[in-house]
Amino acid sequence: MSNLRKRTMSAVMALLFVSVAMPGCLSLVVGREMMESARGVPEVREKPILYDLSHTFVFEDSATPTILYEEIPIDDTVREIIIIFETSVNYFLGDADIRYVHVELLWCEDDGAGNPMNCDESNPIYEVMADNGTYENERIELDRNIDLFESGLWTLTVEGRGSAIPVETGTIADWADWWSLKLNVIRPCLSFPESPEECTPTIEFE
């Protein structure tokens, strides 16, 4: 068999592999790229994108609430969303000692310019109010095949009030309230053998 025929057969087999492993339009785009740039057969992996809204209180910011906010684009390639939340509150002194952490994840539409609109505030995707006390570690997994969540521009907001004694004092009373809030968005990505350290989200091939 000639070298030209061997190369042709290899390209055909690679394209067949891609067609079986991926949706129709995506397989055509990747196949064209393989043919035009002579790239090898890609490996389908998962690429997590982390949104970290964790916070530790310091003495100076303990008197007023702290608010953190993130807009999270969710497209039709997202397979899974993982939320991990936990709080730690020290030396709770009773009803007059108001400390809390409120987390809210909302589905919103994308207005086409990258801004959220028409957010569904009546039906949060995830909401927790941790009142005056420690909230044990919680892990929530949203699987698109099970939970059927919608694409859009989601918003994640966390508001909390806590207290702290600066660690610089060096006393046994040093402590700080904190919360940990992490959200992972998991999408499929393609890694080509020529650059295995890189993995491009499949949404970029559509």
Side-chain angles (χ1 to χ4, degrees):
M1 183 181 294
S2 67
N3 289 335
L4 176 59
R5 187 175 181 184
K6 288 180 180 178
R7 288 197 297 271
T8 302
M9 289 296 293
S10 297
V12 170
M13 293 301 294
L15 287 173
L16 286 174
F17 170 83
V18 171
S19 299
V20 171
M22 302 174 190
C25 293
L26 178 58
S27 67
L28 292 176
V29 173
V30 177
R32 184 178 67 245
E33 178 158 333
M34 289 169 59
M35 293 294 288
E36 292 177 353
S37 60
R39 303 180 77 175
V41 178
E43 176 186 359
V44 180
R45 300 180 184 172
E46 290 188 340
K47 185 182 183 72
I49 297 177
L50 174 64
Y51 298 87
D52 190 346
L53 276 68
S54 302
H55 179 73
T56 299
F57 288 93
V58 296
F59 184 76
E60 290 77 9
D61 70 6
S62 60
T64 58
T66 295
I67 301 175
L68 301 178
Y69 172 83
E70 190 74 61
E71 295 173 359
I72 304 172
I74 302 296
D75 54 67
D76 58 5
T77 68
V78 173
R79 292 181 177 175
E80 188 176 18
I81 297 169
I82 300 174
I83 305 165
I84 301 175
F85 176 61
E86 179 182 7
T87 71
S88 177
V89 173
N90 300 271
Y91 302 104
F92 175 53
L93 302 178
D95 293 340
D97 182 18
I98 300 174
R99 305 187 217 175
Y100 67 90
V101 182
H102 179 219
V103 180
E104 189 175 51
L105 178 63
L106 300 178
W107 172 87
C108 307
E109 292 183 49
D110 189 328
D111 69 355
N115 302 307
M117 61 180 290
N118 299 327
C119 297
D120 188 0
E121 298 180 2
S122 63
N123 187 30
I125 297 168
Y126 175 77
E127 184 176 25
V128 169
M129 171 60 86
D131 290 318
N132 288 331
T134 296
Y135 193 89
E136 298 297 330
N137 183 281
E138 177 177 69
R139 178 186 174 97
I140 303 296
E141 299 181 6
L142 304 176
D143 186 320
R144 190 160 213 152
N145 294 325
I146 300 173
D147 301 288
L148 302 176
F149 52 79
E150 293 186 63
S151 300
L153 186 58
W154 295 12
T155 61
L156 179 62
T157 306
V158 55
E159 175 182 321
R161 180 175 175 179
S163 188
I165 294 179
V167 296
E168 290 81 2
T169 62
T171 71
I172 59 173
D174 294 344
W175 50 266
D177 296 334
W178 56 266
W179 75 69
S180 176
L181 175 61
K182 298 179 181 181
L183 186 147
N184 266 297
V185 176
I186 300 175
R187 291 179 174 84
C189 63
L190 295 180
S191 176
F192 289 87
E194 292 78 13
S195 51
E197 70 284 354
E198 298 178 4
C199 200
T200 305
T202 57
I203 187 68
E204 297 186 17
F205 291 95
E206 295 184 357

